[in-house]
Amino acid sequence: MSQIIKVGMADMNVCRVPDRITTLGLGSCVGVVIYEPYAPVCGMVHIMLPNSKAITNNENPAKFADTGIMLLADKLAAMGLSRSKMRAKIAGGARMFKYVAASDMLKVGERNAEAVKAVLQSLSIPLLAEDCGGDFGRTIEFDPKTAELCIRSIGRPEKII
């Protein structure tokens, strides 16, 4: 019987077939899934902020793009995934506060998505699909058996990438 493995905010987890992995309520946060096609294992990290070096209280590496993605890739490699075959899909990075569009400080979603893409590129992990931006939240669920990332948003049709 399969289970749904949950990933909390600023959290990371791994999953094995036949289970699926999910994170809820991605607003400006970015959900990053790393997997190897046809492998029975995958992982997800819920990124809240782009860079751990800008924050003094940064003891949780899963919170940041620069440390969380590396941590997840290392964990998956230790579980037998080949770094050269790792692939990624991402979702989130919304601008949840439209009325303050003038301030770059509040463009956290855009900055998170850019940082996630930069870290993936630095690790040579191809980004195969993304659903980022907009002004709406997302819940995502990844199935390592099919490599499909299901994205659900209130008032919008379900999307598979």
Side-chain angles (χ1 to χ4, degrees):
M1 188 160 84
S2 68
Q3 295 181 335
I4 296 181
I5 308 300
K6 290 185 170 43
V7 176
M9 186 180 289
D11 190 17
M12 177 189 85
N13 211 334
V14 294
C15 163
R16 291 186 180 276
V17 171
D19 297 340
R20 297 182 313 273
I21 193 165
T22 188
T23 193
L24 312 175
L26 292 167
S28 60
C29 296
V30 176
V32 181
V33 175
I34 298 178
Y35 66 101
E36 181 183 315
Y38 311 109
V41 178
C42 71
M44 182 183 288
V45 61
H46 185 128
I47 301 296
M48 282 182 66
L49 294 169
N51 189 324
S52 63
K53 291 159 190 65
I55 307 289
T56 54
N57 182 12
N58 62 4
E59 71 280 350
N60 177 2
K63 182 187 279 189
F64 306 97
D66 64 332
T67 52
I69 295 169
M70 176 71 81
L71 185 69
L72 180 58
D74 287 348
K75 183 168 182 116
L76 291 169
M79 295 175 75
L81 264 61
S82 167
R83 284 192 184 273
S84 66
K85 294 179 183 175
M86 287 182 187
R87 303 292 180 258
K89 293 185 179 184
I90 66 173
R95 182 181 296 177
M96 300 305 289
F97 305 102
K98 290 184 285 187
Y99 61 90
V100 288
S103 171
D104 276 349
M105 246 343 251
L106 295 171
K107 293 181 181 174
V108 178
E110 291 172 42
R111 292 189 0 252
N112 281 342
E114 289 169 9
V116 162
K117 291 175 192 178
V119 172
L120 289 169
Q121 186 174 23
S122 76
L123 296 174
S124 300
I125 299 174
L127 176 60
L128 297 189
E130 68 176 285
D131 184 46
C132 292
D135 60 358
F136 54 91
R138 295 163 173 87
T139 290
I140 61 173
E141 183 178 301
F142 185 77
D143 185 342
K145 186 174 181 180
T146 63
E148 290 182 339
L149 182 63
C150 177
I151 300 147
R152 295 183 190 92
S153 299
I154 295 172
R156 297 177 177 272
E158 189 173 281
K159 184 175 185 179
I160 306 284
I161 61 172

